Amino acid sequence: MQRRIFSGIGLLVLCTLTIAAQQPSPGSSPDTPPPTFRLEVNYVEVDAVVTDSQGNLVTDLTLDDFEVRENGRPQKVTAFSTVNLPIERPERPLFANAPIEPDVESNTAAEGRIYTIVLDDLHTRFTNTPRVQRALREFIEQRFGTNDLAAVVYTSGRTNAGQEFTNNTRLLLAAIDRFSGRNLRSEALEINDALNNRPPGEFATGSTGSGARNPSDLSGIPADPLEFERAQNARNTLTLVQKLAEFMEGIRGRRKSILLVSEGISYDVHDVFANSSAGIILQQTRDTVAAATRGNVAIYALDPRGLTAFDEAIEVGGTPADITPSQFSVTGSLQGSLRLSQQSLQVLADETGGFAAVNRNDLSEAFARIVRENSVYYVLGYYPSNDQRDGRFRTLDVRVKRPGLQVRARRGYVAPRGRAPAAKPAVTSANGESMSPAATTALNSPIPLSGIPLTMFAAAYKGTPPDAAVALSLELRLDGLNFAEKNGTFNNRLEVVFSSVDQAGTIRPGSRHVVTLELKPETLAIARQRGFRVLSEITLPPGRYQLRAAVADQGGARSGSVLYDLEVPDFRRTGLSMSGVSLTSASGAATPTVRPKDPLKDFLPGPASTVREFQRNDVLALFAEFYENIQGAPTHMFDMSTTLRAEDGRVVYENREERSSADLQGASGGFGYGHQIPLQNIAPGTYVLRVEGRSRAEKADQQPLGRDVIVRVR
């Protein structure tokens, strides 16, 4: 499709653009401040839930109502906020079976809860896999708001199975559905098998193991043959939780929660003779608790076993007759392992301000409590009067002066030890140039930062093999930025950085653009009203990605970031595939725009936009491509259509076109489809725009392929 220019739209822009680095080849309440991401030496943050004598939440307290003591000494609170987070529900048209995923992401949505879901597949039996999936599916589908953020992490290191922070429930559920427990067989059963399989006379006076529950008579009991693997799994789980807590420490102004779904660690850290790694694991537990308390991260431990914790006993084939219960008992050993595993969960939860849900067949109430505790609370921050980095535990006592109220807060934290970490070296772009500290912090933040309001759209199109060309449109509001006036223009300098993280957690550096703004007064007025747009492009192979965009203004006074989940199809696979759907409008062309890279300049009549709400006097334009890879198919027709459907299911606009495969001249793929929709006859309301394609080839799948976009007309 050839590019067509909207007429009658003047653009008063005077700006210069410097490409500093190219892409490498191949609703909260009004009083709730946004969360931030930064690390400050010795800064302590504690959240507190306050209830009255009837258990009702108290939300009208001020800073003057609180008192914080550390090791009994009053502290000067320098940061205070009241957090009251709603649960936003996804928008679903009446005719749709499920909510329609937004194709635009923003950092200005209502603030929500922040969860890291840790799936401890190393300490969950395979038979409990359905329990885990069912419980977490209920949590995501019923208690997770569109304003919440969650990540999914596996303790076994299955990075391809996890999910970066997102509010996309489909991606979270997909990560949960990939869960499969792989816990080692219990120590009791392993020892019992060793006893049953022993040659005559063996173990009569041999070494002993922790399967022996009677210290006065340890002879004749073999050691756990899987002790080494059991210790390694325990270290892996604890180390991962520690690193996650350290990573989340930089998120300020919010309660951060780790949902640890696990059957617990049954490694006996008190039996140092039979368990060679007991001391290491005990210290690792302390380090994990220390990291969580220091970062104000609450751990909620959820045991999926419920009340059927002894179903492993079904596997027991009987203990040899020459082994007395005082020497070894399968039941006693299983009970001991259950006690140890539940204690490990309770320690992590109780010491970090969370709770452990054990011996429960239904985790619904536990999830409800987690949501309550992460929705309404107070956040207090201070720099402790004792600034020594001594690694000691310091008690915390949060009190309120109003009589009759109860405060729930964590009991203390472990101070950092040793010298403060040195400043990290500056992150470099693809060509070796350094990014500013503000842009680096914004790009590395696990959550969107709203210092500069941003909205982002991305669409993948077929590119140079084997990659796809991903068109990017980033729009930002300038009303909060300061401009210096010089020679009749208003000046600022913006650093715009794009990056991506693939499904294995590998960071792929993207483009870095330095935009020098020199705006005439009338252009600045338009930009403050309509925003400012940057168009760019990245190339990515097929796969699942999280795109990240960050913007910092001159001097790093303000910065913002936004996250975008994108699945890049394999456009060269056999069959039919489809690009994203890019939109623009006549009015959208008035937004000041710079185009360091614009892969759609020859296909859209205006710059790709993130706006999805349009006036009735506007004209909406779209562009998509369909790729048909059917070997040996005779000449045939290909159908493409656009429909605009109201919330009640009525089709209020429709366009249908057909193309011949002969137009491709034997090449595979590449049906470009562009269309413009005048909106003057469309009543105000919410609509679903659907772009669809279907091949008439005999060898093709007759099911059409399409994408839906929610738009609004006002």
Side-chain angles (χ1 to χ4, degrees):
M1 173 184 177
Q2 295 298 316
R3 184 177 182 224
R4 298 192 294 273
I5 305 297
F6 286 127
S7 60
I9 301 296
L11 185 59
L12 303 174
V13 179
L14 174 61
C15 62
T16 60
L17 173 68
T18 303
I19 307 300
Q22 296 295 334
Q23 175 187 323
S25 58
S28 59
S29 69
D31 296 330
T32 301
T36 59
F37 180 73
R38 62 182 182 273
L39 290 175
E40 299 181 60
V41 178
N42 292 352
Y43 179 78
V44 177
E45 195 171 74
V46 58
D47 49 66
V49 177
V50 183
T51 56
D52 60 20
S53 57
Q54 284 76 42
N56 300 313
L57 292 168
V58 178
T59 60
D60 62 345
L61 299 178
T62 66
L63 173 59
D64 294 335
D65 294 313
F66 283 89
E67 182 181 77
V68 177
R69 292 177 177 267
E70 181 180 294
N71 282 346
R73 296 181 178 180
Q75 304 295 312
K76 181 180 179 181
V77 177
T78 58
F80 174 84
S81 63
T82 302
V83 177
N84 192 345
L85 304 174
I87 299 179
E88 302 284 345
R89 295 302 181 187
E91 185 175 21
R92 181 174 69 88
L94 296 177
F95 68 87
N97 294 326
I100 295 174
E101 294 180 11
D103 68 327
V104 171
E105 293 294 343
S106 171
N107 65 355
T108 59
E111 306 295 347
R113 289 142 291 272
I114 300 172
Y115 305 111
T116 298
I117 301 173
V118 177
L119 298 180
D120 189 8
D121 49 345
L122 293 178
H123 295 98
T124 303
R125 280 170 291 167
F126 175 76
T127 54
N128 283 331
T129 296
R131 286 175 176 265
V132 172
Q133 294 173 337
R134 185 166 55 249
L136 288 176
R137 177 169 286 275
E138 175 190 328
F139 172 69
I140 295 297
E141 291 179 341
Q142 299 182 15
R143 304 187 187 278
F144 187 81
T146 57
N147 54 324
D148 294 339
L149 285 174
V152 178
V153 184
Y154 283 75
T155 58
S156 62
R158 297 174 57 202
T159 54
N160 289 346
Q163 173 61 48
E164 295 279 342
F165 276 102
T166 184
N167 63 353
N168 188 310
T169 58
R170 176 180 58 84
L171 296 179
L172 292 171
L173 291 173
I176 291 167
D177 287 343
R178 288 189 283 268
F179 175 80
S180 179
R182 55 181 66 188
N183 194 9
L184 295 173
R185 198 161 174 259
S186 74
E187 179 187 23
L189 298 185
E190 290 293 334
I191 293 176
N192 195 64
D193 284 354
L195 289 171
N196 281 302
N197 296 329
R198 60 179 175 164
E202 188 172 346
F203 303 137
T205 59
S207 62
T208 63
S210 59
R213 298 303 175 189
N214 186 348
S216 64
D217 186 4
L218 297 176
S219 63
I221 305 302
D224 176 15
L226 299 180
E227 186 265 338
F228 177 80
E229 292 88 345
R230 227 176 287 281
Q232 185 63 46
N233 288 350
R235 291 196 296 269
N236 287 344
T237 293
L238 292 169
T239 300
L240 174 67
V241 175
Q242 177 188 350
K243 291 185 178 299
L244 289 172
E246 292 171 347
F247 179 65
M248 298 175 73
E249 180 181 359
I251 302 174
R252 302 296 192 191
R254 281 292 180 275
R255 183 179 178 91
K256 294 96 64 176
S257 298
I258 291 178
L259 276 57
L260 175 61
V261 183
S262 172
E263 295 178 14
I265 297 171
S266 61
Y267 193 90
D268 191 351
V269 295
H270 304 293
D271 189 351
V272 296
F273 294 102
N275 296 318
S276 59
S277 298
I280 297 175
I281 294 174
L282 182 59
Q283 184 58 49
Q284 183 61 61
T285 301
R286 293 169 178 158
D287 292 343
T288 301
V289 170
T293 57
R294 193 161 49 243
N296 194 31
V297 178
I299 298 176
Y300 295 93
L302 306 167
D303 188 345
R305 289 175 293 190
L307 298 174
T308 60
F310 286 112
D311 54 0
E312 274 190 301
I314 300 175
E315 302 180 38
V316 178
T319 303
D322 60 335
I323 300 298
T324 66
S326 63
Q327 292 178 296
F328 175 77
S329 166
V330 173
T331 301
S333 183
L334 287 174
Q335 289 176 337
S337 295
L338 175 63
R339 174 180 52 81
L340 290 172
S341 63
Q342 290 182 341
Q343 284 179 350
S344 72
L345 297 176
Q346 290 164 342
V347 166
L348 292 175
D350 294 346
E351 295 297 325
T352 60
F355 64 83
V358 299
N359 296 325
R360 303 185 188 184
N361 285 333
D362 187 357
L363 293 176
S364 297
E365 180 53 38
F367 285 129
R369 180 180 169 187
I370 290 172
V371 173
R372 286 197 303 270
E373 293 187 359
N374 284 269
S375 296
V376 181
Y377 51 91
Y378 299 90
V379 178
L380 304 97
Y382 67 95
Y383 292 91
S385 55
N386 178 7
D387 60 0
Q388 295 183 14
R389 301 175 62 87
D390 53 15
R392 295 179 179 273
F393 181 80
R394 301 179 183 179
T395 61
L396 282 176
D397 184 15
V398 181
R399 304 176 182 179
V400 292
K401 301 173 184 177
R402 187 184 300 179
L405 301 184
Q406 296 180 340
V407 181
R408 185 170 183 269
R410 78 181 194 273
R411 295 178 293 187
Y413 72 98
V414 177
R417 180 185 296 275
R419 294 182 179 180
K424 294 183 179 180
V427 177
T428 57
S429 59
N431 70 345
E433 291 192 2
S434 298
M435 295 193 312
S436 68
T440 300
T441 299
L443 196 66
N444 290 338
S445 172
I447 62 174
L449 301 184
S450 58
I452 298 178
L454 304 172
T455 54
M456 182 178 178
F457 167 76
Y461 292 83
K462 192 174 184 179
T464 303
D467 294 335
V470 180
L472 303 173
S473 179
L474 181 69
E475 299 188 18
L476 52 148
R477 293 213 314 259
L478 303 182
D479 48 314
L481 300 182
N482 295 321
F483 285 80
E485 184 178 1
K486 182 180 180 181
N487 299 327
T489 62
F490 292 84
N491 305 279
N492 202 334
R493 182 175 175 271
L494 299 178
E495 182 179 8
V496 182
V497 186
F498 296 98
S499 182
S500 64
V501 182
D502 66 19
Q503 57 192 13
T506 302
I507 298 176
R508 296 171 175 264
S511 300
R512 175 178 179 266
H513 311 302
V514 177
V515 182
T516 302
L517 298 176
E518 300 173 358
L519 304 179
K520 294 180 178 180
E522 57 269 34
T523 306
L524 178 60
I526 294 175
R528 288 195 183 280
Q529 178 185 8
R530 303 185 61 90
F532 187 83
R533 181 187 295 121
V534 178
L535 301 182
S536 190
E537 177 190 18
I538 59 174
T539 58
L540 295 171
R544 180 164 49 91
Y545 298 89
Q546 183 175 91
L547 308 182
R548 299 186 176 192
V551 179
D553 73 347
Q554 192 167 14
R558 283 181 175 269
S559 62
S561 63
V562 63
L563 311 179
Y564 194 102
D565 294 302
L566 180 70
E567 295 184 42
V568 177
D570 184 357
F571 294 125
R572 290 163 181 81
R573 64 176 173 81
T574 301
L576 180 63
S577 57
M578 180 183 178
S579 72
V581 178
S582 297
L583 302 183
T584 188
S585 68
S587 64
T591 299
T593 303
V594 293
R595 308 168 183 253
K597 296 180 181 180
D598 184 5
L600 300 177
K601 64 180 183 299
D602 295 326
F603 307 104
L604 271 178
S609 175
T610 67
V611 175
R612 295 297 180 262
E613 186 170 313
F614 309 93
Q615 298 282 357
R616 292 187 68 186
N617 60 355
D618 211 344
V619 178
L620 175 63
L622 61 90
F623 178 74
E625 287 183 337
F626 296 91
Y627 312 104
E628 187 182 45
N629 301 317
I630 304 175
Q631 299 297 325
T635 300
H636 58 276
M637 303 305 293
F638 191 92
D639 300 313
M640 294 174 287
S641 65
T642 295
T643 57
L644 201 60
R645 193 180 295 269
E647 286 191 281
D648 58 6
R650 290 179 297 109
V651 175
V652 299
Y653 182 89
E654 186 174 23
N655 167 262
R656 295 188 178 277
E657 299 181 15
E658 62 180 25
R659 305 281 176 80
S660 171
S661 62
D663 297 342
L664 301 178
Q665 299 180 350
S668 61
F671 290 107
Y673 176 53
H675 186 65
Q676 297 185 20
I677 306 174
L679 300 177
Q680 69 267 22
N681 295 323
I682 306 299
T686 300
Y687 297 89
V688 176
L689 173 70
R690 181 168 180 81
V691 179
E692 190 173 275
R694 183 177 66 87
S695 175
R696 298 188 202 171
E698 293 181 359
K699 297 182 180 180
D701 185 351
Q702 297 302 310
Q703 294 297 322
L705 186 63
R707 293 186 184 273
D708 295 321
V709 180
I710 292 182
V711 298
R712 293 175 177 82
V713 178
R714 63 180 190 275

